Amino acid sequence: MTGHHADAAPADTAPAVASSAVPDPADAPWWTRAVVYQIYPRSFADGDGDGFGDLAGIASKLDHLAELGVDVIWLSPIYPSPQHDNGYDIADYQDIDPRFGTLEEFDALLAAAHERGMKLIMDLVVNHTSDEHAWFLDSRSSRAADKRDWYIWRDPRPGFTGGTPGAEPTNWRSFFSGPAWQWDEATGQYFLRLFAPQQPDLNWDNPDVRRAVYAMMRWWLDRGVDGFRMDVINLISKGEYVDVEPVTSSMPLGAEQYANGPRVHEYLSEMHREVFAGRDAELMTVGETPGTPLEHAQLYTDPTRAEVDMIFQFEHVGLDHGKGGKWDPATLDLRHLKANLARWQDGLFGRGWNSLYLNNHDQPRLVSRFGDDGQGLLEQGDVDGAERVRYASATAWAAVLHLQCGTPFIYQGEEFGMTNVPFGGIEDFADVEAVNHYTEAVQQQGADPRDVLAALRLMTRDNARTPVQWDDSVHGGFSAASDRPDVTPWMPVNPNYATINAAADRASRRSIFRFYQRLIALRHTDDVVAFGRFDLLEPDHEQLFAYTRTLGDRVLLVTANLSGRPCPLPSSCRPATARPVLTNVPDDAAGEADPAVLQPWEVRVVAVPAGVPDAGAGV
Ligand code: TEU
């Protein structure tokens, strides 16, 4: 069978997509109006003062989340783990790592979230386990082990000695640099690990594996959990273990054999039947699906297919990757981003459902990456100017994201404009992906460390993993032991915590938090936001992101100047009559707004009377 190219149209094994009507607001699933907040527990809040985030810390911040207005909390993994990939290497699926707390503390946190009207979903990492998981310890104990076939073991390439370069069974590469196969001397075979060596891939073709995963999922749902975010769930079905030709792709070499693999839809349908059927009305599932084209997303999220409710696509967050991929960063062309987002809006409208995100624990901070975090102005001593531009660009991007059709995801600290981190040398980086890239590029390929570090500072996942900056006390108020200078957070807090923190933002006349509150409230109260058709305006404009949302005779017009230069508004974006709905221009400066020009990073949202051709025409 030929390899399954990651970007190819879906295999003919998947039934034709049954189109489904646009969700009827009257009976749409609850998550179509919901907003999700992602917590990366190790960096969110440290309740017991050991420098590591925990469940007690999360419990202490639930009122912050309830006040923001979010509906769902997504917890990145809190299970027992050796933490080689910060918990995405799970050693026991049915317990809590003592670093975070206990199962009893988890149950109390879940109840406290429910009491505030918030749901809680867990991070399900079942493409791979930790190499310390009991299943893998059995599997690697011998070729005749009961669970040998729960993982993916292969002999060395014929003619090669196991453990020597080139002896790997295929030429596939890992997401974290190096080969995707790990040599096991004891049993004389390689095992597949698409990520770190400590993250062996499970063999989903083995029904015993699937049964065990489904039983574990039901155990969490019976405990009251409200759903799952499913880590790299589109990688679980591997095609043939053969060498592949290098292709330009955002994915590692070999991904065409396993991204959206031959049986992935079969497995997700089976998972739905075995785990969610009969209770899915109350639950929410989101698949993380790197390397997934729109055609597969239509299959994953079509409600008539009962696979997952929505997925995270990756095309839009790859548009500032140069020819060399993520570590060859390029400048984003807004026209490409607008076209991509519009394509996904059109492609899933009435067929499936989008998640909406530009931040998470794997992405650099949005305001630094695509906005203006004010660092340049700060260096010139213009503190107020720096805050003004960080506020304006953070809120402009938030508005153009949240007012699309789909479920928005807010990442911890995004709601008050946390920024990238001024990392120094490689010793400042903690992420396995970053450290492995540096080792491979500099030490194995002879790249200039200064160039590699410059790219790492822009794109490393570490930018999103420093402690949340709650206030201007020691370590940004991250730790309950802020009066104990001997306690240092597992990762240093961003040095700008004294001025950029949740408390300072709330006290400011330019509060990003309050703007997010208004965006979330709009989604909760105005069905045009949740269900209206998206139509892009001015696709070729290089600084303006403008679109309409239309539901029946209701039209919302969003216009945002995503640049640091004034932006004259084209006539298509200047309806004769319009009712102001939202702007990021602070109330005390609203009188200065020029109807014909958007100031740098200014966003305006207006309701346009029905039938006004120039604003609802779309393109
Ligand atoms: O991420 C999978 C994934 O696609 C990311 O590794 C992404 O490709 C990369 O970070 C972009 O540079 C999930 C989790 O979100 C990530 O934190 C884990 O490291 C990974 O899976 C393995 O579990």
Side-chain angles (χ1 to χ4, degrees):
M1 171 192 146
T2 53
H4 207 88
H5 194 277
D7 300 329
D12 54 12
T13 50
V17 175
S19 68
S20 51
V22 175
D24 174 354
D27 64 7
W30 62 270
W31 39 263
T32 55
R33 291 186 178 89
V35 177
V36 182
Y37 187 95
Q38 180 193 358
I39 289 177
Y40 196 68
R42 60 167 44 221
S43 304
F44 185 67
D46 166 23
D48 63 6
D50 65 355
F52 197 89
D54 48 39
L55 300 185
I58 296 171
S60 74
K61 301 296 182 185
L62 285 181
D63 289 338
H64 170 82
L65 303 183
E67 190 184 345
L68 180 59
V70 297
D71 308 279
V72 183
I73 298 166
W74 152 27
L75 290 187
S76 277
I78 53 175
Y79 319 94
S81 162
Q83 302 290 327
H84 293 289
D85 185 17
N86 292 0
Y88 282 89
D89 48 324
I90 296 171
D92 180 349
Y93 285 109
Q94 294 179 226
D95 201 351
I96 304 297
D97 191 295
R99 292 177 185 87
F100 295 113
T102 64
L103 268 173
E104 290 67 34
E105 284 183 273
F106 172 79
D107 292 340
L109 176 67
L110 181 62
H114 286 166
E115 279 159 20
R116 290 167 176 79
M118 293 187 286
K119 291 178 180 275
L120 187 149
I121 67 173
M122 298 289 269
D123 209 317
L124 184 79
V125 187
V126 290
N127 171 70
H128 48 271
T129 69
S130 159
D131 63 350
E132 297 182 19
H133 194 290
W135 297 347
F136 188 68
L137 296 178
D138 176 279
S139 181
R140 78 176 317 168
S141 64
S142 119
R143 292 196 183 203
D146 290 345
K147 290 185 169 59
R148 186 68 175 184
D149 193 35
W150 281 47
Y151 293 84
I152 299 163
W153 295 93
R154 289 294 183 279
D155 289 336
R157 184 182 296 268
F160 284 77
T161 303
T164 62
E168 295 83 10
T170 68
N171 63 347
W172 301 1
R173 307 291 289 173
S174 162
F175 281 82
F176 295 159
S177 306
W181 296 93
Q182 199 67 24
W183 176 242
D184 179 62
E185 190 67 43
T187 58
Q189 284 191 311
Y190 286 88
F191 62 84
L192 181 69
R193 51 87 173 181
L194 297 179
F195 293 93
Q198 300 85 356
Q199 294 172 291
D201 281 58
L202 281 165
N203 173 16
W204 270 75
D205 292 340
N206 182 337
D208 294 340
V209 167
R210 304 203 300 274
R211 270 191 288 272
V213 168
Y214 302 155
M216 172 269 290
M217 293 173 73
R218 289 192 295 268
W219 184 85
W220 280 108
L221 295 184
D222 293 346
R223 208 172 184 96
V225 159
D226 302 295
F228 299 99
R229 175 265 191 189
M230 302 183 187
D231 191 67
V232 295
I233 201 66
N234 66 313
L235 308 186
I236 59 177
S237 165
K238 276 61 172 183
E240 294 205 358
Y241 298 99
V242 294
D243 285 341
V244 296
E245 289 303 313
V247 288
T248 49
S249 163
S250 59
M251 299 282 278
L253 193 61
E256 62 191 70
Q257 284 298 331
Y258 55 78
N260 310 305
R263 299 178 66 183
V264 69
H265 295 288
E266 172 198 334
Y267 294 156
L268 283 176
S269 300
E270 179 187 68
M271 177 191 283
H272 195 279
R273 285 192 310 275
E274 297 296 322
V275 178
F276 300 116
R279 48 181 167 185
D280 59 346
E282 296 310 309
L283 304 178
M284 178 186 131
T285 56
V286 49
E288 188 212 22
T289 56
T292 291
L294 176 59
E295 298 70 31
H296 270 283
Q298 291 165 337
L299 298 176
Y300 287 123
T301 65
D302 181 324
T304 66
R305 293 170 53 88
E307 292 187 22
V308 291
D309 295 325
M310 64 195 85
I311 61 140
F312 292 130
Q313 66 120 338
F314 277 68
E315 290 177 358
H316 64 315
V317 290
L319 293 174
D320 59 346
H321 296 181
K323 288 187 177 44
K326 168 176 184 173
W327 306 117
D328 174 25
T331 304
L332 174 75
D333 183 329
L334 179 63
R335 293 169 299 178
H336 298 164
L337 179 64
K338 295 193 294 186
N340 177 267
L341 294 175
R343 184 165 159 272
W344 280 81
Q345 286 288 299
D346 297 345
L348 291 182
F349 188 68
R351 298 182 64 140
W353 197 254
N354 275 292
S355 72
L356 305 171
Y357 79 95
L358 284 168
N359 270 305
N360 64 34
H361 65 293
D362 290 337
Q363 301 295 331
R365 289 283 181 179
L366 169 61
V367 71
S368 298
R369 182 182 192 180
F370 295 144
D372 182 344
D373 59 16
Q375 193 52 38
L377 289 169
L378 269 182
E379 284 159 11
Q380 297 164 29
D382 183 355
V383 174
D384 185 63
E387 191 208 6
R388 184 183 69 252
V389 76
R390 182 173 59 85
Y391 161 83
S393 63
T395 51
W397 275 106
V400 298
L401 185 71
H402 275 247
L403 296 178
Q404 294 179 51
C405 187
T407 298
F409 283 69
I410 298 170
Y411 180 63
Q412 64 181 39
E414 168 188 345
E415 77 276 21
F416 56 84
M418 278 179 66
T419 70
N420 277 359
V421 183
F423 293 116
I426 192 59
E427 65 283 355
D428 289 351
F429 295 84
D431 181 15
V432 58
E433 181 193 45
V435 171
N436 286 6
H437 168 65
Y438 182 88
T439 302
E440 181 175 73
V442 172
Q443 295 172 10
Q444 295 167 14
Q445 297 169 353
D448 183 332
R450 289 167 301 182
D451 297 339
V452 176
L453 286 168
L456 281 175
R457 289 185 196 110
L458 282 177
M459 302 301 279
T460 181
R461 307 189 298 183
D462 282 314
N463 276 312
R465 300 176 176 189
T466 56
V468 171
Q469 297 154 211
W470 294 104
D471 56 41
D472 63 359
S473 67
V474 172
H475 308 314
F478 165 68
S479 169
S482 54
D483 56 346
R484 283 180 43 199
D486 59 313
V487 173
T488 52
W490 73 275
M491 190 169 189
V493 69
N494 191 322
N496 64 19
Y497 74 87
T499 52
I500 297 178
N501 59 67
D505 178 83
R506 284 165 176 258
S508 168
R509 57 187 275 271
R510 296 183 284 242
S511 165
I512 299 168
F513 179 89
R514 282 196 299 277
F515 189 82
Y516 269 83
Q517 282 180 311
R518 288 202 289 270
L519 279 176
I520 295 166
L522 205 51
R523 176 168 295 274
H524 287 161
T525 55
D526 189 340
D527 279 347
V528 180
V529 174
F531 305 109
R533 188 190 71 246
F534 173 101
D535 288 295
L536 181 66
L537 302 179
E538 304 297 335
D540 298 327
H541 204 296
E542 295 185 0
Q543 57 185 136
L544 176 68
F545 190 169
Y547 59 84
T548 56
R549 301 290 309 282
T550 305
L551 184 67
D553 62 359
R554 310 269 313 287
V555 177
L556 213 55
L557 169 62
V558 179
T559 53
N561 173 7
L562 296 180
S563 80
R565 313 180 307 281
C567 174
L569 274 176
S571 62
S572 67
C573 298
R574 292 177 56 199
T577 53
R579 174 177 59 82
V581 172
L582 180 67
T583 176
N584 64 350
V585 175
D587 296 343
D588 57 10
E592 301 154 23
D594 175 345
V597 178
L598 287 177
Q599 294 310 310
W601 307 109
E602 180 181 351
V603 61
R604 271 181 215 155
V605 183
V606 296
V608 180
V612 178
D614 59 357
V619 283

